[in-house]
Amino acid sequence: MAQLTHDQELKDKLSAPLAYGNPNFHDVTEAVSIISEVKTHRNWYIALAITGSITGMMGLMIAYLIVTGVGVWGNNAPVGWGWDITNFVFWIGIGHAGTLISAILFLFRQKWRTSINRFAEAMTLFAVACAAIYPGIHVGRPWRAYWLFPIPNEFLDMWQNFRSPLLWDVFAVSTYGTVSALFWYVGLVPDLATFRDRAKTKARKLSFAIASLGWRGSATHWKNYEKAYMILAGLSTPLVLSVHTIVSFDFATSILPGWHTTIFPPYFVAGAIFSGFAMVVTLMVIARWIYKVEHLVTMTHLENMNKVILATGCIVGYAYATEFFIAWYSGNPYESYVFFVSRATGPYWWAYWSMVTCNVISPQFFWFKKLRTNIPFMFVISIIVNIGMWFERFVIIATSLHRDFLPSSWGYFRPTFVDIFTFIGTFGLFLTLFVFFTRFLPIIAIGEVKGMMAANAHEEHYLDEAVAASQGKEPVGAAH
Amino acid sequence: MADKTTIHGMVGDFDSPDQLMDAIRAARKAGYTKLEAYTPFPIHGIDDAMGAKPSILGYIVVCCGAVGLTIAILLQWWTGAVAYPLVISGKPMFAFEFAIPIIFELTVLLSAFGAVFGMFALNGLPKLHHPLFNYSGAEGITDDRFVLVIEAGDHQFDAAGTREFLLAQGAAKTELIEE
Amino acid sequence: MSQSHHHPVNTDSYYIPDAIWDRGRNVLGAMFLLGWGAALAGYGQNHDQFFQSYLVAFFFAFSIAIGATLFTMIQHLTGSAWSVPVRRIMENIMMSLPVLGLLFIPVALGLHSLYEWSHPEFVAKEVMELKKGVYTNFLNPKMFYIRAVAYFLIWSFWAWKLYSNSKSQDTTKALGPTFANEKWSAPGMLLFFLSGSLASFDWVMSLNPHWYSTMFGVYCLAGGAWGFFALLTFIFLRFRANGIMVNSVTTEHYHDLGKWMFALTVFWAYIAFSQYMLIWYANMPEETIFFKMRRTGSWEAMSGVLLFGHFIFTFLLLLARNSKRTLNVLRFATLWILAMHYTDVYWLVMPNFHKAGIAFSWVDLATLSAVMSTVGLAFWMRLRKAPLAPIGDPRFKKGLEFQNV
């Protein structure tokens, strides 16, 4: 018996288990579908009331902004970009983990991505929705926001300036939102068919029948579907890199010290993935507990996400270090000033050191298995990381702008209550969308989890053989 | 009994993917050609077993991508260098250096449209009705059942014989379904 | 029940036949003698040219070895199975690092032919106050030597640790070394990324002591990883032509190697474009000088070759699934990529010395032959000391039977 447990431990170490117990295909359907099929719980309405009122507060703030003007924010010379762009970059970054999980980990055949990808993709969409608010309201006259797109218009005989990185951003973010929504929907179709086939009421049956487009799961369907999924993953991978790359171009094409540095593109991408994974951990820890899917979203999933957080945290640390080193190595007084004075010791020192503590130091705890498999601990760290990543964007924007080249143009950014409540409001929107998502849609990719289980059945014998061989024994069932 | 012209085919309902795969191989060996399998998730190797041709989706996507690429270049060149030329921060009216990001984005956007809508078109979706939904156990297909349908159009099809054949392959249930 | 009945019986031996080994040794030995002989003659003719050509050859070999190390560690960290049959050769390329430590000696000796900052009279002319501190504390021969020794000590130790752990499994089939290598790889990635970037700053970026780019380290490592995958694939294609491991490394594995070459083609282009575009857009003289030099005279043609050859052509060549599964296409691609990676390193180094335009020299080829044959002979010696694949790895069997979806 002890031998058996020991062998199982070794097998788990070689290939960490992705499902607890041994659920069969039907159990998976049941566990995920039931979430949306049971009668709406009172707590759900309470949750919706809370998140909905926060969203409503954001609506009020935006209405006030539109009626009064952008002056209600703390933005002013010299800090012309304040919390609006900080929050925009923050939310866009959060979204990146969803695409990473659905596309990049798919291409790398990382099986643990199933059972968290649906959730993470939803997060992408909701985060992009929150991010998209900011450029829309920052243009000053939001009713003219469609001028961002190259549509001929009757008022001005002119065209968009394609030399501006801000316009690249419009294309990048709208492409990203569209492709993510399509990718998400394609993944949903077979599961919506499952919901359709299980529906008890007419209304439910009809709505899921329409949403699943008549999906039958024939071999022909799956053939084209898998090809489409592979292609979308192949397209989304460079796409997700491009989005934060282009966001980084907003800063790095300028000649402002602290903004203009060539490592910005990959550094922004790594930071985005870092913050996004932290957000997935925060939300997943709560969701798997509320919806009782701990057997599908296991400790292995959480631990792997924490490893990604550690890895991307180190990349971000590498980028900080490189920036500092090159600022010194260049011998350029402006570069040195912005890093060694404006950031590390100037009026924003507290923001800078909060950022370093949260982003570089806090993930280092995940070197220890005990800590990265401890749920309350990872929950706290995941929130700290997101605080750190918010500070990163704030530090980049505020420290580089607040001391202009002329000391007479120095200033200090303070957010107004509109800044603060709008930002809090975006969390309301983000969570409201989640509250709806978890109530009505399959929060775990049912079909994909089953496919992964079928593949795992074939994998067992490799593990048995490896463990037996390490003990110098003939493997059980070696005749196979 | 329904008239043969209105019969869609014979359903064999299996418990596991491996049984279904064996049944497909056996059916092809026995000379059946008009087969379709229905499963809750994609099964590795099923296309080979069914003798299906690879999907042509890739070609559709490449064409869409090329259209996106062309549009992006023409859009940026025409608006910047022809329709509304204006010197901005000393940059050329058109240059690939600044045009690449949008070229990339539009190529990806149109390719993704090609992949998604192309896939739906190849699969004949959306579709209002299909004979498979006449099968009494159809809802099992999106849960945990693995179904093989031998269609009535198959020259070897014969309701009784085909039923025998499917049962011999270990089908837990068989059923004749109508158009 | 399982898919294994689709596979032919694997009769591969994981040892290199003596006749083939002898032939390889003879070829590499001849290259070694000819290469070093010619390189020494080149040294006699023109010291500066010798050291410059030698730096290109050295950095080419070094970037591939560090690429191999990074990817060996990535395989351990992700517990990937597909790569296990080809991992021993990865590890073997990684083990070039200690040899490269010896091959660094000529670079160290040629300091004055290569680096302006090694001349006190150049440093004395410096006008920027802050840059003077950089020379005192960082860019001077003493610190340069200390750092190089530190890099090679760290790299050699890590490479040896990963390699000997892997080899110890060959007979014992123990699981312990697999877990140990996973543990060594995590901090190893961090350490190699940092030291690899710093080494690129030291050896190549500082050729122009006033130019700087934070992306430069990533650029060099990305190119090196690309070259490494081409070399790895090339070696296995040569093995295949000689009947070695033909059942173990199948079209499925080549397909994955091809995907990696493709992915790194795109990644390099992404890094190169970002670096170029940001500098082009900001248009600050202290930065644009780098590209200005590479658009002077015939260097502009070489920049074009990199744009079309390093990226566009390779991208199109490897885009289709079929081309990654057609071994003749892959064979061409590996040689093409190695040639392009060499061109890239040449383009990084040489414009600093030949400002008017490209000036090829026969010493370029002599030093390349000398460096690659030295590294190659050491590789060849190790080839016979251990099986050609990590046959005791717990994921080895799964790796053999792996198929692309």
Side-chain angles (χ1 to χ4, degrees):
Chain A
M1 192 62 205
Q3 180 63 36
L4 275 181
T5 353
H6 179 65
D7 286 1
Q8 191 56 48
E9 266 171 31
L10 288 176
K11 275 161 56 177
D12 289 353
K13 242 175 130 180
L14 277 178
S15 172
L18 294 173
Y20 282 140
N22 230 340
N24 59 35
F25 298 138
H26 180 68
D27 291 345
V28 177
T29 316
E30 199 65 33
V32 180
S33 310
I34 205 82
I35 296 170
S36 139
E37 286 165 356
V38 292
K39 198 170 160 293
T40 312
H41 195 274
R42 193 182 43 141
N43 288 349
W44 186 81
Y45 290 108
I46 297 175
L48 184 63
I50 297 171
T51 58
S53 5
I54 302 174
T55 314
M57 179 183 72
M58 179 187 76
L60 289 177
M61 289 299 132
I62 291 175
Y64 177 58
L65 171 97
I66 291 172
V67 171
T68 323
V70 177
V72 300
W73 283 343
N75 304 11
N76 210 334
V79 186
W81 276 2
W83 275 36
D84 44 358
I85 306 298
T86 303
N87 298 339
F88 163 72
V89 181
F90 172 78
W91 278 118
I92 278 285
I94 299 273
H96 280 47
T99 321
L100 183 100
I101 291 171
S102 54
I104 302 182
L105 296 184
F106 176 76
L107 295 181
F108 282 102
R109 288 189 282 267
Q110 294 291 311
K111 286 194 197 121
W112 59 275
R113 69 179 272 286
T114 29
S115 77
I116 50 171
N117 64 340
R118 173 69 44 74
F119 201 82
E121 287 168 34
M123 187 190 76
T124 296
L125 289 178
F126 306 155
V128 172
C130 293
I133 292 173
Y134 281 101
I137 56 180
H138 190 194
V139 293
R141 285 183 287 171
W143 53 95
R144 294 269 190 258
Y146 67 92
W147 284 5
L148 290 168
F149 294 95
I151 309 164
N153 62 71
E154 66 274 34
F155 303 107
L156 305 159
D157 188 22
M158 62 194 282
W159 286 96
Q160 285 73 16
N161 171 20
F162 283 99
R163 279 154 279 190
S164 162
L166 297 179
L167 192 63
W168 310 344
D169 234 4
V170 173
F171 278 76
V173 173
S174 48
T175 299
Y176 183 50
T178 312
V179 175
S180 303
L182 288 173
F183 199 4
W184 191 58
Y185 180 60
V186 166
L188 267 171
V189 165
D191 292 352
L192 294 173
T194 301
F195 273 25
R196 169 198 70 200
D197 290 346
R198 290 171 56 95
K200 296 285 183 295
T201 66
K202 255 230 161 78
R204 203 175 151 84
K205 182 133 211 145
L206 186 69
S207 39
F208 283 113
I210 293 169
S212 64
L213 305 174
W215 177 265
R216 298 183 297 282
S218 71
T220 316
H221 277 182
W222 284 121
K223 179 183 76 183
N224 291 317
Y225 175 91
E226 282 198 289
K227 188 82 189 174
Y229 205 91
M230 179 64 100
I231 291 172
L232 283 173
L235 290 170
S236 301
T237 300
L239 177 63
V240 70
L241 297 187
S242 81
V243 176
H244 234 58
T245 295
I246 290 175
V247 170
S248 82
F249 287 167
D250 292 347
F251 303 99
T253 51
S254 71
I255 53 166
L256 202 60
W259 283 11
H260 177 68
T261 173
T262 51
I263 206 169
F264 254 29
Y267 152 41
F268 264 50
V269 172
I273 293 164
F274 179 54
S275 68
F277 265 84
M279 187 60 101
V280 183
V281 169
T282 311
L283 295 170
M284 211 71 214
V285 162
I286 303 173
R288 74 197 274 275
W289 169 66
I290 293 182
Y291 294 111
K292 301 189 178 53
V293 285
E294 283 107 332
H295 60 301
L296 296 177
V297 182
T298 66
M299 188 53 84
T300 310
H301 294 102
L302 297 175
E303 191 188 350
N304 283 343
M305 287 195 273
N306 292 337
K307 284 182 183 170
V308 176
I309 291 176
L310 172 60
T312 45
C314 289
I315 298 179
V316 169
Y318 164 84
Y320 295 164
T322 310
E323 279 187 324
F324 261 86
F325 173 74
I326 292 290
W328 173 75
Y329 173 92
S330 70
N332 180 326
Y334 300 104
E335 290 284 331
S336 298
Y337 184 84
V338 80
F339 283 98
F340 292 95
V341 180
S342 291
R343 287 196 185 164
T345 54
Y348 285 109
W349 66 270
W350 54 275
Y352 181 78
W353 291 106
S354 304
M355 165 190 110
V356 170
T357 314
C358 296
N359 288 349
V360 184
I361 297 171
S362 80
Q364 304 306 324
F365 289 110
F366 285 156
W367 284 105
F368 306 101
K369 192 180 173 81
K370 265 231 163 61
L371 296 176
R372 66 173 183 259
T373 54
N374 179 322
I375 287 180
F377 187 80
M378 71 174 84
F379 185 73
V380 173
I381 293 286
S382 70
I383 290 173
I384 291 179
V385 164
N386 262 317
I387 295 174
M389 281 309 292
W390 185 87
F391 268 113
E392 180 189 298
R393 280 66 176 251
F394 178 72
V395 164
I396 290 172
I397 291 170
T399 61
S400 286
L401 288 173
H402 81 295
R403 289 195 171 169
D404 213 332
F405 290 102
L406 279 178
S408 59
S409 325
W410 287 5
Y412 190 80
F413 175 85
R414 275 187 191 79
T416 63
F417 78 94
V418 184
D419 278 313
I420 295 168
F421 285 106
T422 311
F423 182 48
I424 295 173
T426 53
F427 278 93
L429 176 64
F430 184 68
L431 294 173
T432 306
L433 293 169
F434 255 106
V435 167
F436 280 112
F437 163 64
T438 53
R439 182 70 200 94
F440 296 111
L441 291 174
I443 62 167
I444 290 177
I446 309 174
E448 284 185 46
V449 171
K450 289 177 193 164
M452 193 265 296
M453 285 161 59
N456 267 4
H458 288 296
E459 187 159 321
E460 268 297 295
H461 78 269
Y462 293 117
L463 295 175
D464 285 333
E465 279 180 30
V467 170
S470 73
Q471 294 155 350
K473 288 185 298 204
E474 272 300 299
V476 191
H480 149 84
Chain B
M1 193 89 201
D3 182 57
K4 190 164 178 182
T5 52
T6 67
I7 288 172
H8 177 67
M10 180 65 76
V11 165
D13 197 325
F14 296 88
D15 290 331
S16 77
D18 290 326
Q19 276 183 322
L20 175 73
M21 289 287 278
D22 291 340
I24 293 171
R25 290 197 193 99
R28 296 244 302 155
K29 220 172 181 177
Y32 288 107
T33 50
K34 293 207 158 177
L35 304 173
E36 187 58 290
Y38 297 90
T39 57
F41 54 84
I43 290 168
H44 186 59
I46 201 167
D47 292 335
D48 280 345
M50 304 248 310
K53 288 198 193 80
S55 174
I56 58 157
L57 191 61
Y59 300 100
I60 299 176
V61 171
V62 169
C63 293
C64 292
V67 172
L69 183 117
T70 315
I71 292 177
I73 296 175
L74 290 178
L75 174 72
Q76 295 183 81
W77 164 77
W78 185 77
T79 56
V82 179
Y84 192 68
L86 187 69
V87 178
I88 294 165
S89 64
K91 300 276 179 289
M93 299 299 173
F94 178 80
F96 276 96
E97 278 89 350
F98 65 71
I100 295 280
I102 289 179
I103 292 176
F104 174 81
E105 296 302 329
L106 283 188
T107 307
V108 167
L109 182 66
L110 284 245
S111 303
F113 283 154
V116 174
F117 299 118
M119 184 269 283
F120 284 141
L122 291 176
N123 281 347
L125 299 176
K127 196 170 185 104
L128 292 175
H129 187 68
H130 188 270
L132 183 73
F133 294 124
N134 292 334
Y135 169 46
S136 64
E139 65 279 357
I141 295 167
T142 54
D143 183 10
D144 60 351
R145 305 302 303 171
F146 302 85
V147 164
L148 178 63
V149 174
I150 298 179
E151 289 171 10
D154 195 300
H155 63 280
Q156 273 201 80
F157 185 83
D158 130 59
T162 305
R163 186 192 300 271
E164 269 314 298
F165 172 80
L166 287 168
L167 286 171
Q169 303 312 317
K173 187 178 162 190
T174 57
E175 190 176 308
L176 200 63
I177 53 169
E178 294 178 8
E179 272 305 336
Chain C
M1 148 90 187
S2 111
Q3 304 141 356
S4 57
H5 53 80
H6 302 305
H7 295 271
V9 182
N10 186 343
T11 51
D12 283 350
S13 145
Y14 295 103
Y15 295 91
I16 189 160
D18 282 343
I20 294 172
W21 192 86
D22 288 344
R23 210 167 70 219
R25 181 202 52 199
N26 294 344
V27 171
L28 287 165
M31 271 175 69
F32 182 86
L33 293 175
L34 277 172
W36 280 109
L40 283 177
Y43 177 76
Q45 199 184 59
N46 181 345
H47 292 199
D48 289 349
Q49 178 66 51
F50 166 81
F51 285 121
Q52 293 153 6
S53 302
Y54 186 87
L55 180 66
V56 176
F58 170 81
F59 199 75
F60 174 72
F62 156 76
S63 66
I64 289 176
I66 202 155
T69 317
L70 288 171
F71 272 90
T72 304
M73 292 192 287
I74 289 177
Q75 305 316 314
H76 287 306
L77 283 174
T78 54
S80 83
W82 77 269
S83 61
V84 177
V86 299
R87 207 188 66 216
R88 177 56 46 81
I89 301 299
M90 284 192 192
E91 292 165 348
N92 210 335
I93 301 175
M94 163 181 87
M95 281 299 284
S96 306
L97 283 172
V99 184
L100 284 160
L102 289 176
L103 287 172
F104 184 74
I105 293 171
V107 178
L109 294 176
L111 214 55
H112 292 309
S113 298
L114 294 169
Y115 303 102
E116 284 178 309
W117 50 258
S118 69
H119 300 280
E121 58 280 14
F122 173 85
V123 173
K125 277 190 295 189
E126 180 59 59
V127 288
M128 281 156 68
E129 245 350 277
L130 290 167
K131 192 76 186 182
K132 288 178 186 163
V134 177
Y135 294 127
T136 325
N137 298 308
F138 189 81
L139 274 189
N140 56 59
K142 193 176 114 203
M143 292 305 291
F144 182 84
Y145 293 140
I146 292 176
R147 282 196 302 277
V149 170
Y151 302 148
F152 280 108
L153 284 179
I154 295 171
W155 295 338
S156 305
F157 173 74
W158 233 267
W160 167 79
K161 196 77 206 166
L162 294 167
Y163 183 65
S164 56
N165 272 340
S166 168
K167 262 200 332 185
S168 74
Q169 266 177 326
D170 291 344
T171 45
T172 63
K173 296 194 188 310
L175 302 179
T178 294
F179 304 139
N181 271 347
E182 205 183 311
K183 285 221 166 72
W184 280 96
S185 296
M189 283 298 286
L190 190 61
L191 215 56
F192 271 72
F193 231 85
L194 281 170
S195 55
S197 310
L198 215 49
S200 323
F201 295 160
D202 270 353
W203 300 341
V204 179
M205 197 170 86
S206 81
L207 287 169
N208 179 351
H210 284 114
W211 184 77
Y212 54 88
S213 165
T214 41
M215 189 80 110
F216 195 78
V218 184
Y219 179 91
C220 291
L221 295 175
W226 192 62
F228 152 68
F229 266 103
L231 182 63
L232 181 70
T233 314
F234 177 74
I235 291 172
F236 274 101
L237 287 166
R238 290 310 303 156
F239 276 4
R240 189 173 192 82
N242 286 291
I244 299 169
M245 284 178 74
V246 282
N247 297 316
S248 307
V249 180
T250 64
T251 313
E252 303 300 328
H253 299 93
Y254 285 110
H255 187 184
D256 261 33
L257 290 167
K259 284 188 211 165
W260 268 111
M261 286 191 271
F262 178 75
L264 287 164
T265 306
V266 178
F267 185 71
W268 177 88
Y270 163 64
I271 297 295
F273 170 73
S274 301
Q275 176 170 272
Y276 169 66
M277 197 279 286
L278 290 175
I279 290 174
W280 176 88
Y281 201 106
N283 205 12
M284 298 198 294
E286 63 266 39
E287 288 185 342
T288 47
I289 182 69
F290 180 86
F291 291 106
K292 176 95 176 100
M293 286 166 84
R294 283 156 186 80
R295 292 178 82 160
T296 303
S298 48
W299 288 116
E300 179 147 30
M302 194 177 262
S303 303
V305 167
L306 283 181
L307 169 63
F308 287 98
H310 204 300
F311 174 56
I312 297 177
F313 177 73
T314 320
F315 176 85
L316 295 174
L317 182 68
L318 291 174
L319 179 62
R321 177 186 159 96
N322 267 341
S323 56
K324 293 188 277 275
R325 296 176 76 90
T326 311
L327 300 189
N328 283 330
V329 175
L330 273 193
R331 181 168 23 249
F332 171 72
T334 56
L335 292 171
W336 176 260
I337 290 175
L338 286 169
M340 277 302 127
H341 180 49
Y342 181 79
T343 311
D344 185 25
V345 177
Y346 196 89
W347 178 87
L348 287 175
V349 172
M350 285 303 191
N352 291 300
F353 306 114
H354 306 289
K355 295 198 162 57
I358 305 173
F360 289 119
S361 157
W362 57 274
V363 188
D364 296 335
L365 280 180
T367 49
L368 182 67
S369 168
V371 170
M372 291 311 281
S373 62
T374 311
V375 173
L377 272 177
F379 172 89
W380 210 245
M381 299 293 171
R382 286 188 298 271
L383 215 51
R384 211 158 56 160
K385 295 215 179 94
L388 299 174
I391 50 177
D393 189 286
R395 299 186 183 96
F396 180 56
K397 202 139 185 210
K398 194 178 160 203
L400 290 180
E401 291 170 11
F402 140 85
Q403 280 187 306
N404 276 289
V405 182

